[in-house]
Amino acid sequence: MKIIRCDNSYSGQILAIFNEAILNSTAVYDYKARTAEMMAAWFAAKEKGNYPVIGVVSPEGNLMGFGSYGTFRAWPGYKYTVEHSIYVATHCRGRGLGKLLLQEIIASARAQNYHALIGGIDSQNVASIQLHKGFGFRHAGTLQQVGFKFGRWLDLDFYQLILETPAQPADG
């Protein structure tokens, strides 16, 4: 396995992993699969914001999982806070890839001088909650019944990790 920075050439493999999560889980509170055009816009937004797309590839070069982060809220006062996501291909789960990806996300956020990482996690996603707790994320709150998917209401937990960066934050 190898950690990489994904570019648009991985968009098809990312799309497959992402769409599986949309269609079969509550990892994403969305109903319809994304299109290639949507992925192109997603990659453009990541590039414009200087947000990394981190992947784990097999020795054969197949993408096994990916993670990224982006804007938490659009107002300037949140400039030191990002919200991240991690997705692992179904057949690759349980191999520690989530740990590798989260470790790289934290390192990248630190290197880019972010101060807070936020993870919005479905309250029933025990594996993701345990993963985040293992890296020191703390439960910051639960928004009850904010999502509806698969015929039921979903609660969204927020987990937060405070980083020691930046050394000298500034307004504006």
Side-chain angles (χ1 to χ4, degrees):
M1 288 182 282
K2 184 168 76 169
I3 298 285
I4 62 163
R5 293 294 171 119
C6 296
D7 59 24
N8 204 29
S9 68
Y10 285 91
S11 64
Q13 292 181 69
I14 288 174
L15 185 63
I17 293 169
F18 198 52
N19 281 341
E20 189 283 325
I22 290 171
L23 297 174
N24 299 303
S25 79
T26 57
V28 184
Y29 291 4
D30 202 350
Y31 302 116
K32 294 182 181 177
R34 303 280 165 94
T35 65
E37 294 77 21
M38 293 166 121
M39 284 313 308
W42 182 82
F43 263 106
K46 295 296 179 188
E47 186 175 317
K48 182 179 178 184
N50 196 29
Y51 300 127
V53 179
I54 300 163
V56 178
V57 293
S58 69
E60 300 78 31
N62 297 316
L63 189 68
M64 302 166 74
F66 72 96
S68 188
Y69 51 78
T71 303
F72 171 64
R73 304 207 58 192
W75 295 283
Y78 293 104
K79 68 182 177 178
Y80 294 115
T81 302
V82 288
E83 185 172 2
H84 68 279
S85 299
I86 294 173
Y87 301 95
V88 176
T90 305
H91 66 282
C92 297
R93 292 181 187 152
R95 299 186 196 177
L97 302 181
K99 286 180 184 177
L100 290 174
L101 289 165
L102 188 52
Q103 184 175 334
E104 288 295 318
I105 284 172
I106 293 168
S108 291
R110 220 177 239 125
Q112 289 184 293
N113 282 314
Y114 287 110
H115 183 65
L117 273 170
I118 307 294
I121 306 169
D122 183 81
S123 66
Q124 301 300 304
N125 190 341
V126 176
S128 185
I129 290 169
Q130 290 306 112
L131 170 66
H132 283 78
K133 284 182 175 180
F135 278 90
F137 281 76
R138 299 178 135 219
H139 184 252
T142 299
L143 301 177
Q144 295 181 344
Q145 298 184 11
V146 294
F148 190 83
K149 190 172 179 180
F150 303 130
R152 61 187 169 94
W153 290 108
L154 306 172
D155 296 345
L156 183 63
D157 288 346
F158 281 98
Y159 281 81
Q160 177 182 25
L161 180 67
I162 301 295
L163 303 173
E164 67 285 353
T165 49
Q168 296 183 355
D171 288 332

